[in-house]
Amino acid sequence: MRVAYFPGCSLQGSAREFDESLRAVAARIGLELVEIPDWNCCGASSGHAVDHLLSLALPGRILALAERTGLEDLLVPCSACYNRLVTTRQDLIDDRKVKAEVCELIEMDLKLSVRVRNIIEVLKEVMEAGNFQGIQTPFTHKVACYYGCLLVRPHKVVKFDRAEEPQTMDEMMQAIGAEPIDWAFKVECCGAGMTLARTELVAKLCARILDDAEGREAEAVITACPMCHANLDMRRGDIEKAAGRKFDIPVMYITQAIGLALGIDPGRLGLDRHMVPVVFKSMQQQPGVSESPA
Amino acid sequence: MSRIGVFVCHCGENIGATVDCARVAEISSALPGVVHSVDYKYMCSDPGQNLIKDAVKDKHLTGVVVAACSPRMHEPTFRRACAEAGLNPFLCEMANVREHCSWVHEKGEPTTQKAADLVRVLVEKVKRNRPLRPIQVPVTKTALVLGGGIAGIQASLDIANAGQKVILVEKDPSIGGHMAQLSETFPTLDCSQCILTPRMVEVAQHPNITLLSYSELESLDGFIGNFKARIRKKARKVDEKLCTGCAVCTQKCPQKKIPSKFNADLGMRTAIFVPFPQAVPNKPVIDVENCRYFKTGKCAICQKLCPAKAIRYEQEDEIIEVDVGAVVAATGFDVVNTDFFPEYGYGKYPDVINGLQFERLASASGPTLGEIRRPSDNKIPETVVFLACAGSRDHAKGIDYCSKICCMYTAKHAMLYRHKVHSGKAYVFYMDIRAGGKMYEEFVRRAIEEDGARYVRGRVSRIYERDGKLIVKGADTLLGGEPVEIQADLVVLATAAVASPGAEELAQKLHISYDSYKFFSEAHPKLRPVETNTAGIFLAGACQAPKDIPESVAQASGAASKVCGLFSQDQLSREPLIAAVNRTAPPQFSTCTGCFLCESVCPYRAIEREEIKARDGKVLKTVARVNPGLCQGCGTCVAVCRVKAIDLDGFSNNQLYAEVRALA
Amino acid sequence: MSLQTATVENSLAEELYRSTGQSVARCYQCGKCSAGCPLAAETDYPPSQILRLIQFGDDRLDQKALGSLTIWQCLTCQTCSARCPQEVDLPRIMDFLRQESWKRGPIHPQAKNIVAFHRSFLGSIRMTGRMFELGMIADYKRRSLKFFQDVLLAPKLLMRGKLHFLPHRIQGTKAVQRIFDRALEKKGATR
């Protein structure tokens, strides 16, 4: 399978290991990633907070560049970028006047033919095509699949999985041997872009998420969003301060979990870049060495 | 030679203030064929009618045009006046110079001219009217009541007590409907079954009522006064005549783990079962899908043990054909299940239940014998949260309407819980409190002021389970949207009332209209609540819209009175303004070519096929024929007939062309 | 009351309708949005109250909504609209209120650093086409005067290769600058 690839700003910076593990897994499962040349930032939450047209133009430029690759699918691993691209595409389909304005701003034409896909649905498609036969070490752990708020909303536009209690990530984790738990915070927001400006709020929200996951005996939180990962992992110190207790549970990207199951060397999956060591209570897995948390 | 009389009414100020009636009368007097033209203040009054009668007699009028209000108001009045004077009533027409003229225009010359034009048009029409006689149709004095809930029961009893025959068809093994499932009813807290079962027994014992339980309507043909119904009597696998209701079979049946529909899936029943102890008729039925004998060929314990030898495994469904004169649809409603709500768990939490399930918990004959217990672990809940408006008034979920009964039964549930668990905490999350009936507002106040139900205004966003408790995340909008989180032991969703399953199919079988929610449509939302647009078919109860018991009973009695009114005559008189396919001399017999386009477009299925035969029986031609009992005179067939072989009396092609030419 | 928009003339709600097509009349104040909002307990006006403030059509109340902490603290997680029974697009309304607050004020004093964050973020994109995290954080600290925030975290991130010292300038930087300048030139949002 060949897809256009839009990593987004975080995957180049603070979420490097998501990009690394994704590329490692993609190479193994026959998923060819064609990075869009010269892509720009999608604007994330700041764009639409400040100006409507700007919030459409920045993703609009990305869609136009993706179209030029000639590929049908555009893989967007970051949930925030995914949400911006899907909703922008729908807004431009629904309103031709706005579309014309955006095309004028970005100085490019837009056919809006490219399908914007998130990481979970692309991996699922590849799996169903039968390319996951290489499971060497089943990921036999209890996991809490954390989808985050932007992956499944707005449901009518994104049309992915169920709006409450989605199942696709859980099914994929099951396929690699894990035991996904039923828990209450699958789509509850982690605090998103408030990580700098409202750190204590993010800490409070993430504490609730980790408390529920750990309380239900999950051994790891699996996520598909770099923002969620950053808040749950990098901000672990702040979370523990806000909650008044320690949380040991590691947070992994879905591509890292799949990578481990496929037998890819942990070093190539960027597990040592996490703040919280990826260590499991059951010592069946020794994924890699990490420094101790802050 | 036409001798037309024109009578222009002032209708007080309604017409007179805008239209110069005297001038209209003057203009009309000069029309060809008009021999009498006057105006008067109130034509519908006695003196006004006498003007018509006198003129008919003195001037030997052959036609009358009354320029006044809408025919929907007074056409019968003026037709009767003409009839009394000796003129065929169908030679009287009305020109609507009120709704179509004076009420929609400003005073002035153009308005007066328009009124005069309208009169001229009607004069040309009435010249071409034919004298007609009302059509007589016989009436079968048996009513078919579909549905044995409280509405169907009430309608059946009312009709039967009026001396007419009733066939009551109920698809479940027992009558009683949802009312039999309730614990206590608002606002009196009467025990539901205590007030219902006497009526159920009365139905079973009434000499005029034939109860066909465990039966469904297969098809309905015919027209008002003359319906033919085919009813499928499903096989109970029990001979009802022999069965004594001793219940040994239900006690000994080894298949005990089937969710009981009567207990809203909170309790179990056996494969051979009677839905509840007070069932009418008190005869069991075998659920063949879950019966061991029917699945594997083994068992047959019920047959071995039945003292009356009443078990009949080979029994088949039976189709019964009956002739009826009227039909009352009383098929009730359903409530949505908890799996309708993604944000409340997709129905996976056993301790999140709906209102009907709570009724079963609270019922003395229910799965917990009237004790409020959690379905998951049978413990008594200390905190119960009730959610009103669960699914109703919810555009996103596709149910925009209010289900009407939930505010009242939620207050009742909170009260019953508090009565049974004195230390328990009851929270009600609501949006509004709709308590419009008699003693209803007082009932809700009692729940809040005396029984300590804690009402919080706001909807609940999410419910999830943690450590055996249900975390309910709501808000208090009266405190500005303040989030309110409650750890509940039991959550009761007052789910939306929806049309009962199979409502759409039934409506199509009956040829009655229904709305987008599959509730049956009444003929007029204000003034005709128990009739449908199909003559002879009436509505009673929640199948028309969600409603409570007093309203269902009232509507059922209303439908019954319509049926009795229908049956009070031996023959039905119908307006003869209907279509007819022409007949000509042999060998043509009719200009109809037998294309039957009319048949396919008739909304009332009033077109039949008639074979025209030679003396030796050979079919020469098959042409269309209008059934005078069904035709409503809508004219659709006239519009589509390519050869103009079908025409409408009272609105014939000739008349309409004449009217249009009169304006040119 | 304008029949076309069901809003009070010249009110913020009417402007909202004209630029976004969202009608505040649809909201029947059920509170489900506030019940599910992760921040409702931590903010001045929960979301349903923000809507009520602009629903009334009174200028004083409109100003309260624009000057609220909520509109800037909003996580844009879309939980509200996911559950709203009347399908009110509250995220879109929040965007509109933020854009108005940004353009003409007022801005809640405690929200000033959130606005500063957005300025830093967008400034970074405008300069290089992509987010340069170190640069953005530095600019944010300058604006918010929070010099000591995360000082212990930063070295750890650098060690793990999660922060770059230099920005990556895309080739289309000038094109991105033009997008910024021309978009922000045009007054207000289109529907």
Side-chain angles (χ1 to χ4, degrees):
Chain A
M1 191 178 171
R2 216 168 159 241
V3 296
Y5 180 51
F6 172 69
C9 307
S10 345
L11 267 77
Q12 304 265 278
S14 51
R16 247 180 97 174
E17 61 273 27
F18 194 6
D19 183 66
E20 287 170 342
S21 53
L22 171 55
R23 286 183 195 272
V25 168
R28 186 70 84 81
I29 63 174
L31 173 65
E32 197 188 326
L33 304 171
V34 178
E35 189 170 330
I36 309 177
D38 211 45
W39 53 265
N40 55 284
C41 175
C42 70
S45 26
S46 301
H48 64 81
V50 164
D51 187 81
H52 186 65
L53 206 51
L54 180 68
S55 75
L56 294 175
L58 290 172
R61 184 172 182 274
I62 299 166
L63 288 172
L65 292 170
E67 268 169 37
R68 287 181 182 187
T69 62
L71 292 162
E72 275 180 14
D73 294 295
L74 173 62
L75 169 59
V76 186
C78 167
S79 297
C81 304
Y82 169 74
N83 194 276
R84 286 309 311 147
L85 285 166
V86 170
T87 47
T88 297
R89 179 173 173 271
Q90 192 60 49
D91 280 351
L92 298 184
I93 289 176
D94 290 340
D95 191 330
R96 275 198 242 149
K97 244 181 70 186
V98 167
K99 179 180 171 229
E101 281 185 70
V102 166
C103 287
E104 203 194 306
L105 274 180
I106 63 176
E107 297 158 0
M108 283 193 269
D109 199 34
L110 271 173
K111 281 197 287 294
L112 300 173
S113 50
V114 159
R115 280 195 309 171
V116 180
R117 319 289 301 282
N118 66 52
I119 182 72
I120 304 181
E121 48 177 344
V122 168
L123 288 174
K124 180 172 180 219
E125 199 175 307
V126 172
M127 255 174 91
E128 278 169 359
N131 282 335
F132 264 47
Q133 284 118 349
I135 307 279
Q136 294 187 356
T137 338
F139 194 79
T140 50
H141 299 286
K142 264 191 165 161
V143 295
C145 290
Y146 180 57
Y147 294 71
C149 58
L150 294 180
L151 209 51
V152 294
R153 298 174 181 153
H155 191 66
K156 283 195 177 150
V157 174
V158 162
K159 295 202 222 315
F160 168 65
D161 210 322
R162 306 203 291 197
E164 309 280 347
E165 297 180 35
Q167 300 290 313
T168 324
M169 210 197 304
D170 297 63
E171 286 163 11
M172 282 188 10
M173 292 307 292
Q174 245 176 347
I176 64 166
E179 189 191 325
I181 59 163
D182 188 20
W183 66 306
F185 281 73
K186 275 183 164 174
V187 291
E188 296 292 312
C189 186
C190 64
M194 292 286 157
T195 188
L196 275 183
R198 278 285 184 279
T199 316
E200 66 298 348
L201 214 50
V202 165
K204 228 184 202 165
L205 294 174
C206 288
R208 284 185 217 159
I209 295 169
L210 293 179
D211 181 67
D212 195 82
E214 249 197 29
R216 292 177 204 261
E217 291 167 9
E219 296 175 67
V221 175
I222 312 292
T223 178
C225 170
M227 201 73 252
C228 302
H229 188 278
N231 286 343
L232 290 169
D233 179 78
M234 278 199 294
R235 290 272 173 224
R236 188 59 62 94
D238 297 288
I239 298 171
E240 288 175 342
K241 219 188 323 175
R245 55 157 282 197
K246 288 217 158 288
F247 287 108
D248 289 325
I249 186 170
V251 187
M252 294 172 68
Y253 286 105
I254 184 172
T255 40
Q256 290 174 323
I258 293 176
L260 286 177
L262 289 174
I264 299 177
D265 175 48
R268 290 180 56 209
L269 298 173
L271 287 167
D272 49 353
R273 297 199 198 273
H274 293 192
M275 296 296 290
V276 179
V278 185
V279 170
F280 298 99
K281 291 187 190 90
S282 58
M283 302 302 268
Q284 284 171 291
Q285 291 270 332
Q286 287 287 358
V289 184
S290 347
E291 283 104 299
S292 43
Chain B
M1 262 321 298
S2 295
R3 296 179 61 77
I4 312 291
V6 172
F7 303 84
V8 185
C9 183
H10 290 236
C11 195
E13 291 293 299
N14 280 306
I15 300 175
T18 324
V19 167
D20 187 346
C21 297
R23 267 208 68 211
V24 173
E26 197 196 314
I27 297 171
S28 305
S29 63
L31 294 171
V34 172
V35 301
H36 181 87
S37 183
V38 296
D39 65 293
Y40 184 66
K41 267 262 184 236
Y42 299 102
M43 284 304 304
C44 54
S45 64
D46 275 345
Q49 292 182 53
N50 284 335
L51 279 181
I52 299 177
K53 292 185 202 174
D54 293 340
V56 164
K57 289 192 213 124
D58 297 340
K59 298 265 181 106
H60 308 289
L61 297 181
T62 59
V64 161
V65 173
V66 181
C69 51
S70 163
R72 276 173 164 265
M73 296 287 298
H74 276 302
E75 190 173 68
T77 313
F78 298 124
R79 286 203 172 152
R80 214 174 303 125
C82 289
E84 282 169 20
L87 181 67
N88 184 289
F90 293 95
L91 297 175
C92 170
E93 288 283 350
M94 280 186 75
N96 186 344
V97 298
R98 191 181 74 172
E99 280 87 336
H100 286 187
C101 191
S102 71
W103 269 359
V104 297
H105 296 302
E106 307 286 334
K107 178 177 173 165
E109 180 61 20
T111 308
T112 302
Q113 274 303 322
K114 178 175 173 179
D117 287 344
L118 288 171
V119 173
R120 185 169 75 248
V121 161
L122 266 301
V123 166
E124 287 306 307
K125 183 187 184 196
V126 86
K127 283 183 190 170
R128 291 154 179 84
N129 275 23
R130 291 198 307 128
L132 298 169
R133 288 211 128 77
I135 300 168
Q136 303 297 334
V137 167
V139 179
T140 308
K141 296 191 188 185
T142 302
L144 176 65
V145 177
L146 299 171
I150 182 62
I153 289 172
Q154 183 66 42
S156 304
L157 288 173
D158 284 344
I159 299 170
N161 285 334
Q164 309 292 2
K165 298 255 180 273
V166 177
I167 298 174
L168 175 55
V169 174
E170 165 56 53
K171 73 173 195 290
D172 280 340
S174 165
I175 55 175
H178 283 307
M179 189 174 168
Q181 292 174 290
L182 306 181
S183 56
E184 287 161 50
T185 56
F186 57 80
T188 50
L189 293 184
D190 277 314
C191 152
S192 184
Q193 287 205 0
C194 304
I195 56 176
L196 176 65
T197 46
R199 304 250 171 142
M200 286 165 59
V201 171
E202 209 186 325
V203 161
Q205 293 177 343
H206 205 293
N208 282 345
I209 300 179
T210 308
L211 173 56
L212 295 175
S213 61
Y214 205 51
S215 307
E216 289 185 55
L217 182 73
E218 190 82 353
S219 69
L220 184 75
D221 287 305
F223 54 97
I224 180 175
N226 301 272
F227 291 108
K228 267 198 172 18
R230 289 170 68 245
I231 298 162
R232 173 181 293 273
K233 203 164 182 314
K234 299 183 285 195
R236 281 182 184 254
K237 309 297 186 191
V238 169
D239 187 333
E240 281 175 67
K241 292 194 208 56
L242 295 177
C243 171
T244 60
C246 72
V248 165
C249 53
T250 61
Q251 282 158 15
K252 300 297 186 188
C253 176
Q255 195 80 337
K256 295 186 193 294
K257 296 282 189 204
I258 304 160
S260 157
K261 192 175 106 162
F262 183 78
N263 275 324
D265 293 344
L266 283 184
M268 300 292 179
R269 60 159 171 83
T270 44
I272 183 167
F273 72 103
V274 172
F276 54 101
Q278 302 86 342
V280 169
N282 194 358
K283 317 270 177 185
V285 107
I286 295 185
D287 171 11
V288 302
E289 273 169 41
N290 286 301
C291 165
R292 265 189 218 170
Y293 176 78
F294 280 96
K295 289 206 300 197
T296 65
K298 300 200 175 68
C299 188
I301 286 182
C302 49
Q303 190 180 56
K304 291 185 199 112
L305 294 179
C306 174
K309 304 267 176 281
I311 306 289
R312 296 275 178 279
Y313 294 128
E314 355 57 59
Q315 196 182 67
E316 300 269 342
D317 290 355
E318 201 191 321
I319 304 282
I320 299 177
E321 292 194 5
V322 287
D323 288 334
V324 298
V327 178
V328 177
T331 48
F333 69 112
D334 205 0
V335 282
V336 146
N337 275 324
T338 54
D339 59 3
F340 189 67
F341 305 91
E343 69 272 37
Y344 303 152
Y346 288 104
K348 69 182 177 197
Y349 302 126
D351 296 327
V352 175
I353 59 178
N354 70 13
L356 202 53
Q357 289 173 313
F358 187 85
E359 293 283 350
R360 292 317 301 149
L361 288 179
S363 279
S365 61
T368 56
L369 301 177
E371 291 190 334
I372 309 296
R373 287 181 181 276
R374 285 163 37 114
S376 62
D377 56 11
N378 218 40
K379 291 210 180 86
I380 294 184
E382 286 305 312
T383 304
V384 180
V385 173
F386 299 90
L387 267 65
C389 288
S392 310
R393 303 177 61 185
D394 196 325
H395 182 77
K397 294 204 182 352
I399 300 180
D400 285 272
Y401 56 85
C402 164
S403 293
K404 200 163 190 189
I405 52 179
C406 342
C407 281
M408 287 306 295
Y409 77 60
T410 295
K412 179 188 76 174
H413 287 174
M415 280 166 98
L416 291 179
Y417 168 67
R418 292 277 300 145
H419 291 175
K420 290 173 195 266
V421 184
H422 293 304
S423 59
K425 294 204 237 348
Y427 292 91
V428 177
F429 280 96
Y430 72 101
M431 283 216 287
D432 297 289
I433 300 183
R434 295 177 169 185
K438 192 164 180 175
M439 296 301 292
Y440 282 17
E441 173 66 21
E442 294 91 322
F443 183 80
V444 179
R445 291 315 310 166
R446 182 178 146 193
I448 297 173
E449 293 171 20
E450 287 176 42
D451 293 318
R454 305 176 195 202
Y455 271 63
V456 178
R457 194 205 178 264
R459 265 194 158 159
V460 166
S461 177
R462 194 147 123 75
I463 301 175
Y464 62 90
E465 187 254 344
R466 182 78 198 270
D467 297 330
K469 290 263 195 205
L470 292 159
I471 314 297
V472 177
K473 295 182 62 161
D476 190 328
T477 64
L478 298 179
L479 287 176
E482 182 74 29
V484 171
E485 188 177 295
I486 300 180
Q487 300 201 353
D489 297 307
L490 181 68
V491 174
V492 184
L493 306 177
T495 58
V498 292
S500 56
E504 186 174 23
E505 289 76 20
L506 181 65
Q508 288 172 354
K509 277 186 192 160
L510 297 176
H511 292 275
I512 57 176
S513 319
Y514 53 98
D515 63 18
S516 58
Y517 300 111
K518 319 273 196 287
F519 287 114
F520 300 156
S521 301
E522 62 291 321
H524 188 279
K526 285 287 209 190
L527 296 178
R528 300 175 69 197
V530 300
E531 299 159 84
T532 61
N533 274 320
T534 308
I537 304 191
F538 305 97
L539 296 176
C543 61
Q544 181 240 350
K547 56 174 64 75
D548 54 26
I549 293 168
E551 287 171 335
S552 300
V553 169
Q555 204 184 27
S557 293
S561 85
K562 295 284 183 194
V563 170
C564 292
L566 181 58
F567 291 179
S568 66
Q569 311 144 77
D570 287 319
Q571 296 214 299
L572 270 184
S573 195
R574 299 190 70 232
E575 242 194 10
L577 300 179
I578 56 170
V581 181
N582 66 22
R583 291 285 182 269
T584 59
Q588 193 188 43
F589 297 101
S590 172
T591 59
C592 169
T593 57
C595 77
F596 298 108
L597 196 53
C598 52
E599 186 188 39
S600 59
V601 301
C602 176
Y604 305 99
R605 297 198 314 161
I607 307 271
E608 296 164 353
R609 298 186 178 212
E610 189 180 32
E611 287 176 338
I612 296 183
K613 299 188 178 138
R615 270 182 222 245
D616 59 6
K618 190 174 91 163
V619 175
L620 298 167
K621 197 178 184 181
T622 309
V623 297
R625 180 185 167 273
V626 177
N627 181 328
L630 279 175
C631 176
Q632 300 283 332
C634 71
T636 310
C637 54
V638 180
V640 303
C641 179
R642 295 181 276 212
V643 295
K644 293 281 166 269
I646 191 165
D647 209 353
L648 191 57
D649 255 327
F651 293 94
S652 69
N653 289 314
N654 263 350
Q655 284 174 307
L656 294 177
Y657 296 149
E659 287 188 53
V660 170
R661 279 196 300 268
L663 281 175
Chain C
M1 264 286 161
S2 155
L3 264 184
Q4 263 183 319
T5 60
T7 49
V8 174
E9 268 110 25
N10 301 323
S11 64
L12 193 60
E14 190 183 43
E15 231 183 288
L16 167 71
Y17 180 76
R18 288 195 197 287
S19 60
T20 68
Q22 287 298 312
S23 166
V24 295
R26 287 186 65 80
C27 171
Y28 50 28
Q29 290 286 302
C30 73
K32 200 166 178 183
C33 49
S34 298
C37 175
L39 289 182
E42 326 275 346
T43 193
D44 50 1
Y45 298 110
S48 58
Q49 240 202 342
I50 295 281
L51 200 77
R52 182 65 199 149
L53 286 171
I54 59 177
Q55 216 179 30
F56 199 92
D58 175 275
D59 187 57
R60 197 178 50 95
L61 299 173
D62 288 347
Q63 292 302 309
K64 276 195 181 173
L66 290 177
S68 70
L69 186 52
T70 298
I71 61 173
W72 287 110
Q73 267 190 171
C74 168
L75 301 172
T76 67
C77 68
Q78 297 184 37
T79 305
C80 48
S81 56
R83 303 206 179 124
C84 174
Q86 286 286 79
E87 295 184 325
V88 174
D89 194 346
L90 202 47
R92 186 77 188 84
I93 296 175
M94 285 287 177
D95 271 350
F96 171 82
L97 292 172
R98 282 186 282 265
Q99 290 157 19
E100 289 302 301
S101 169
W102 172 281
K103 274 203 304 252
R104 50 166 160 136
I107 298 180
H108 192 288
Q110 284 180 302
K112 294 236 153 80
N113 72 318
I114 299 176
V115 173
F117 171 81
H118 290 309
R119 283 196 212 275
S120 304
F121 187 99
L122 291 174
S124 175
I125 305 175
R126 186 179 176 281
M127 256 205 309
T128 64
R130 293 184 193 170
M131 230 263 286
F132 172 44
E133 274 157 344
L134 258 188
M136 188 264 295
I137 292 169
D139 190 62
Y140 171 68
K141 283 179 189 262
R142 176 183 72 83
R143 288 179 195 267
S144 63
L145 303 175
K146 294 196 180 193
F147 296 113
F148 295 107
Q149 186 178 341
D150 295 330
V151 280
L152 294 174
L153 188 56
K156 296 203 175 85
L157 296 177
L158 282 166
M159 271 205 292
R160 285 165 169 75
K162 289 196 172 211
L163 287 178
H164 300 287
F165 280 106
L166 293 171
H168 173 108
R169 239 188 190 83
I170 66 171
Q171 285 178 0
T173 308
K174 287 259 179 329
V176 171
Q177 275 169 9
R178 282 200 297 276
I179 291 176
F180 265 87
D181 297 337
R182 284 152 66 196
L184 296 174
E185 217 176 69
K186 294 182 179 222
K187 294 278 177 308
T190 43
R191 201 179 295 187

